[in-house]
Amino acid sequence: MAADLEVVNLFIIAGGTLAIPILAFVASFLLWPSALIKVYYWYWRRTLGLQVRYADCGGYRFCYACRGKPGMRPSILMLHGFSAHKDTWLSVVKYLPKHLHIVCVDMPGHEGTTRTNTEDYSIQGQVKRIHQFVETIRLNRKPFHVVGTSMGGNVAGVYAACYPKEICSMTLICPDGIRHPCETKFDNHLQDLEHSNYTLNIPLIPTTPEEMEDMFRLCSHVRFKIPQQILQGLVDVRQPHNTFYEEVFMEIVGEPSRYALQEHLHLITAPLQVIWGKKDQVVDVSGAAVIVEVLPGCRVDLLENCGHSVVMERPCRTAKLILEFIILQQDTRGGTKKSY
């Protein structure tokens, strides 16, 4: 009988011990989903071996995540899109070799990077700030590979045009800043916004779980089933920054940022790779042909059944394409095959 009681007590203690983290998880999921999302990113960074660091320069602070150290192979600088953050790249970094030096920076004003005046949020302003970051962490001690998606692709392209000696090769993923021949669903939204003098809600700045779901439908061809609580958590995380996002949005859709990449294409000398989702409803895939017309030697990879959020929809494929391109460029320069 005593032994049975001890077993019962053991089960009660074990059950109580397990119940605490389970209840904490359930409570966070139901009551504080935004906190759960932050913990999720923290855990994922830790699992992938990424460290969050800060770089200070003249009172301006950059926040970035990095893995690996500079070596014989080029470092990789990754620039995220509008209203996103450095953790956007986690799904892609997962499939890249751990020994490569990877730097994912929060774009100007985003997440942990300093917010200042609106001049920093134009494409040209962001390019200057990213160059400041590159110099601060001495990433440009030797040419590096830059990857940019959407707004980050616009910035990456203009950066390569303005600082050609610093870039050994580059990858643009569904880049903004191109006057694409075919209109998209987002172009129609943008026209409605302009006609309303920007009084309508901006589709890329959701304020409710329903609008968040609409944004995912706009940006992604793949339909992700996201629980209502997670959608609410994503809204809660973004809500305090919506005024800032509106300022950035107005800068990047205005002159001279709107077609900055196209206007700088002829100045790009580094080997260029373009990755685009064929079902992109934000920046039409026809923009790839515009780039090829100016830079006929660039490599273009068009992904079937994929929308604007290539990084989220096809992370493994994206990582593989980027790595193949870097290896190809290194082999071409060195004349020998390097192990990655």
Side-chain angles (χ1 to χ4, degrees):
M1 186 66 176
D4 290 341
L5 286 174
E6 286 181 7
V7 172
V8 171
N9 287 336
L10 184 62
F11 273 109
I12 291 173
I13 293 170
T17 303
L18 289 172
I20 292 172
I22 292 172
L23 287 173
F25 176 83
V26 172
S28 297
F29 181 76
L30 296 175
L31 301 177
W32 307 290
S34 59
L36 191 62
I37 290 168
K38 291 178 181 178
V39 171
Y40 168 76
Y41 282 130
W42 171 84
Y43 178 77
W44 202 1
R45 283 196 304 267
R46 187 179 180 86
T47 301
L48 295 177
L50 283 158
Q51 295 182 327
V52 174
R53 293 180 179 173
Y54 296 89
D56 295 293
C57 181
Y60 193 91
R61 167 171 281 197
F62 299 94
C63 180
Y64 65 104
C66 61
R67 187 177 74 183
K69 295 180 180 180
M72 296 296 293
R73 304 172 185 85
S75 298
I76 303 175
L77 174 64
M78 312 186 90
L79 308 180
H80 64 73
F82 169 73
S83 77
H85 45 75
K86 59 187 174 295
D87 295 327
T88 298
W89 297 105
L90 292 177
S91 56
V92 173
V93 171
K94 175 183 177 181
Y95 297 102
L96 292 173
K98 290 189 175 180
H99 58 270
L100 288 180
H101 182 222
I102 297 170
V103 177
C104 308
V105 63
D106 283 328
M107 298 295 280
H110 289 69
E111 194 76 3
T113 294
T114 299
R115 246 168 232 185
T116 55
N117 54 64
T118 55
E119 290 179 4
D120 284 336
Y121 310 139
S122 67
I123 297 302
Q124 291 78 1
Q126 292 192 58
V127 167
K128 290 177 182 177
R129 282 298 185 188
I130 294 301
H131 185 245
Q132 183 182 23
F133 168 71
V134 165
E135 289 193 315
T136 300
I137 67 169
R138 301 181 67 191
L139 188 65
N140 55 355
R141 282 179 293 180
K142 72 173 190 175
F144 57 89
H145 182 89
V146 62
V147 182
T149 182
S150 194
M151 179 191 77
N154 197 348
V155 174
V158 177
Y159 189 103
C162 294
Y163 306 100
K165 293 183 179 179
E166 297 186 2
I167 306 298
C168 64
S169 53
M170 57 190 297
T171 301
L172 303 183
I173 304 172
C174 302
D176 193 10
I178 296 291
R179 195 187 297 272
H180 42 270
C182 303
E183 288 191 348
T184 63
K185 187 175 181 180
F186 179 71
D187 290 326
N188 295 330
H189 284 305
L190 195 55
Q191 289 171 13
D192 292 339
L193 280 167
E194 290 171 344
H195 292 152
S196 72
N197 200 25
Y198 294 94
T199 56
L200 296 175
N201 287 342
I202 299 171
L204 299 180
I205 307 179
T207 58
T208 66
E210 291 72 27
E211 290 180 357
M212 177 64 70
E213 196 165 25
D214 289 340
M215 187 183 78
F216 279 123
R217 289 197 189 100
L218 175 67
C219 295
S220 174
H221 178 72
V222 176
R223 293 292 174 255
F224 297 98
K225 293 182 179 179
I226 304 174
Q228 189 74 7
Q229 287 296 326
I230 295 298
L231 289 171
Q232 183 62 61
L234 292 169
V235 171
D236 291 343
V237 168
R238 294 169 60 99
Q239 193 76 45
H241 311 289
N242 280 352
T243 300
F244 161 72
Y245 292 149
E246 290 173 5
E247 292 178 3
V248 177
F249 182 83
M250 295 304 292
E251 283 294 320
I252 62 178
V253 300
E255 296 292 343
S257 295
R258 195 162 186 170
Y259 304 116
L261 175 57
Q262 185 163 346
E263 292 164 1
H264 286 79
L265 282 177
H266 68 286
L267 297 174
I268 293 176
T269 57
L272 169 62
Q273 173 187 44
V274 177
I275 301 175
W276 219 307
K278 283 189 174 182
K279 301 294 185 179
D280 194 336
Q281 298 184 92
V282 180
V283 186
D284 193 75
V285 66
S286 59
V290 176
I291 296 175
V292 171
E293 187 175 350
V294 180
L295 300 170
C298 74
R299 169 176 170 172
V300 177
D301 293 290
L302 305 182
L303 307 184
E304 299 284 350
N305 300 315
C306 183
H308 187 67
S309 301
V310 170
V311 173
M312 182 171 66
E313 297 177 73
R314 296 285 189 274
C316 182
R317 180 65 176 155
T318 301
K320 183 179 179 181
L321 289 172
I322 293 172
L323 192 59
E324 285 177 353
F325 185 69
I326 292 175
I327 293 173
L328 177 63
Q329 301 311 312
Q330 291 297 293
D331 289 351
T332 302
R333 284 194 184 93
T336 58
K337 192 169 184 178
K338 293 180 176 62
S339 173
Y340 275 72

